[in-house]
Amino acid sequence: MTGSRFRVGIIGAGRISDLHAIEYLQNPLARIVGVCDRDAAQARSKLAAWGIPDVAVEEDVDRFLAREDIDLVEILLPHHLHLPVALKAMAAGKIVSLQKPMCVDLAEADQLVAAAEAYDRPFKVFENFIFYPPVLKARELIDQGAIGTPLSIRIKSNPARSATAWEVPPSASAWRSEKSHAGGGPLVFDDGHHKFALAWHFMGDPEEVHAFIGDTEGPGGMRFDAQSIISFRFPGNRVGNLEIVYSPDMELVTRHYAQDDRVEITGTAGVLFINGGHGRLGATPPVTLYRDGQITTYDVPSGWEQSFVLSTRHFLNALQTGGAPVLTAREARQVLRFSSAAEQSAREGKAIRLAF
Ligand SMILES: NC(=O)c1ccc[n+]([C@@H]2O[C@H](COP(=O)([O-])OP(=O)(O)OC[C@H]3O[C@@H](n4cnc5c(N)ncnc54)[C@H](O)[C@@H]3O)[C@@H](O)[C@H]2O)c1
């Protein structure tokens, strides 16, 4: 750290790195000092687009981690590289922010939890959806008692098509199609991590998970694990589900992935709707509350990139104040347990009871 700034090294300058860069570029607590990607030309073009073309690029992770002028690494690699690179980053003494999912399976997760909990520097698994402003607003309203006690969460993931979506390079889909690299399916395990994180955030750890997982052709010939329904039971007679539906002929408005998400949380006294995620089905308000015959809407910022900005800001503030990062390695393992139980349930054709 120089002065009061964390010197940041980004490992993996792929699709999602653009949204991670936003807060590191604007927050006075941080400064991007290096980017590592085996595709150096791509890393340079990212740096040019971010307005910092003179920052050094390195193709080799080991050489990058040996740099003493990097305090914090942001690991944005394919999932099979998460465990080895995170372990190396800790061995090199770096502060670590590791994109979700923490790794490809629970055996790897156990190794990572043990290493992170024995480590004397901060370690975070990056999960942005719980920092999405409409989600923060819903959480604030729930904490104020707006819907009474939450009894049920209903989450809908709805990939579709979009003329306004950003470009996803074929290389970003290629590794996701290999189970050994991705760990699980693109919608249940990979994107599903965010949805299970939401369920965990609002309802806590589930005690039982039951799933039907479909298989269909997605864009570019990719297999999509849709249409799928995953049901959860939480302690105290509370329930939830995640429904994943691919609508190939439905046009969405989005600046990011061709997908939308919707969440409905029903409590003892009211209902909260989070009406959008990556994209928009029309001009719905980001958050709607129903209570006592009244509908109240909340016009909070709903650009999806804000979830990345606020997740990173929370981490930088936690580093300054000594607060806990979100997610900790143990929390991330709980979310991973949730998504791997869904895949296990569909594979074995039975409900999976969980002990955390
Ligand atoms: N939070 C979210 O909403 C969100 C959205 C998309 C992706 N992600 C996560 O971000 C991570 C990256 O996903 P992506 O979509 O940006 O993937 P990507 O394929 O676009 O980017 C990965 C980058 O890693 C580089 N790379 C691969 N192997 C390497 C190696 N050995 N050494 C150095 N560089 C190497 C590739 O060249 C590529 O630029 C994944 O964990 C993914 O799940 C999260």
Side-chain angles (χ1 to χ4, degrees):
M1 193 169 171
T2 48
S4 58
R5 291 189 133 193
F6 294 96
R7 295 167 298 181
V8 176
I10 293 180
I11 307 180
R15 177 63 282 177
I16 210 59
S17 63
D18 290 321
L19 300 190
H20 287 259
I22 299 172
E23 181 65 1
Y24 285 131
L25 289 169
Q26 70 189 7
N27 193 311
L29 290 175
R31 182 160 60 94
I32 297 173
V33 298
V35 170
C36 174
D37 199 294
R38 65 180 179 188
D39 183 341
Q42 178 179 295
R44 281 195 202 94
S45 82
K46 292 284 182 190
L47 286 165
W50 301 342
I52 47 172
D54 297 332
V55 162
V57 168
E58 171 59 64
E59 292 173 32
D60 180 77
V61 171
D62 294 315
R63 279 201 300 268
F64 193 68
L65 289 172
R67 273 182 60 175
E68 286 183 2
D69 65 335
I70 293 175
D71 306 303
L72 185 164
V73 288
E74 188 86 1
I75 302 174
L76 311 176
L77 292 169
H79 305 157
H80 69 299
L81 298 173
H82 285 196
L83 174 70
V85 174
L87 292 178
K88 284 179 182 181
M90 284 188 264
K94 307 302 184 193
I95 297 167
V96 177
S97 168
L98 170 66
Q99 251 287 7
K100 56 47 67 178
M102 65 196 303
C103 50
V104 296
D105 60 31
L106 291 171
E108 286 196 358
D110 288 337
Q111 287 183 60
L112 214 35
V113 170
E117 292 187 347
Y119 192 45
D120 60 1
R121 306 210 71 194
F123 176 94
K124 158 188 172 159
V125 174
F126 188 97
E127 170 50 64
N128 51 305
F129 274 53
I130 56 184
F131 289 97
Y132 183 48
V135 169
L136 293 174
K137 185 71 196 174
R139 181 62 191 251
E140 180 192 314
L141 289 165
I142 288 172
D143 290 347
Q144 291 165 355
I147 58 167
T149 303
L151 297 174
S152 151
I153 185 163
R154 212 164 82 165
I155 304 170
K156 171 92 89 181
S157 276
N158 197 182
R161 68 173 193 211
S162 171
T164 58
W166 64 4
E167 193 192 334
V168 179
S171 55
S173 303
W175 64 261
R176 285 179 162 89
S177 300
E178 285 184 52
K179 187 168 172 17
S180 61
H181 284 42
L187 298 174
V188 175
F189 184 84
D190 180 349
D191 184 62
H193 188 282
H194 303 301
K195 315 305 156 57
F196 295 117
L198 287 178
W200 167 83
H201 179 66
F202 284 113
M203 307 293 281
D205 294 326
E207 57 187 12
E208 195 167 354
V209 175
H210 186 219
F212 298 104
I213 298 181
D215 173 49
T216 191
E217 184 168 336
M222 192 177 187
R223 297 312 300 179
F224 263 2
D225 39 355
Q227 293 20 279
S228 301
I229 292 198
I230 299 140
S231 309
F232 340 120
R233 207 153 55 80
F234 299 95
N237 193 25
R238 297 170 307 127
V239 294
N241 67 39
L242 164 60
E243 184 181 314
I244 301 171
V245 180
Y246 174 46
S247 305
D249 301 325
M250 181 168 75
E251 182 66 25
L252 276 181
V253 177
T254 176
R255 285 180 281 119
H256 303 107
Y257 295 99
Q259 177 167 336
D260 198 21
D261 313 294
R262 313 188 278 284
V263 180
E264 181 185 314
I265 304 169
T266 306
T268 49
V271 186
L272 263 168
F273 303 87
I274 300 167
N275 298 313
H278 294 73
R280 280 286 166 280
L281 306 180
T284 46
V287 178
T288 302
L289 168 67
Y290 173 78
R291 168 110 195 208
D292 298 332
Q294 303 283 332
I295 287 179
T296 314
T297 58
Y298 298 87
D299 192 17
V300 290
S302 57
W304 185 61
E305 68 284 352
Q306 288 305 315
S307 63
F308 290 77
V309 165
L310 295 179
S311 179
T312 301
R313 191 172 300 168
H314 178 274
F315 188 44
L316 290 171
N317 288 340
L319 294 177
Q320 278 289 88
T321 59
V326 174
L327 308 167
T328 64
R330 191 163 287 274
E331 289 169 340
R333 190 200 182 278
Q334 283 167 231
V335 175
L336 193 77
R337 178 78 188 100
F338 210 148
S339 46
S340 64
E343 291 200 328
Q344 184 190 351
S345 167
R347 220 172 29 243
E348 298 179 3
K350 63 177 193 194
I352 305 297
R353 291 192 66 82
L354 299 177
F356 282 100

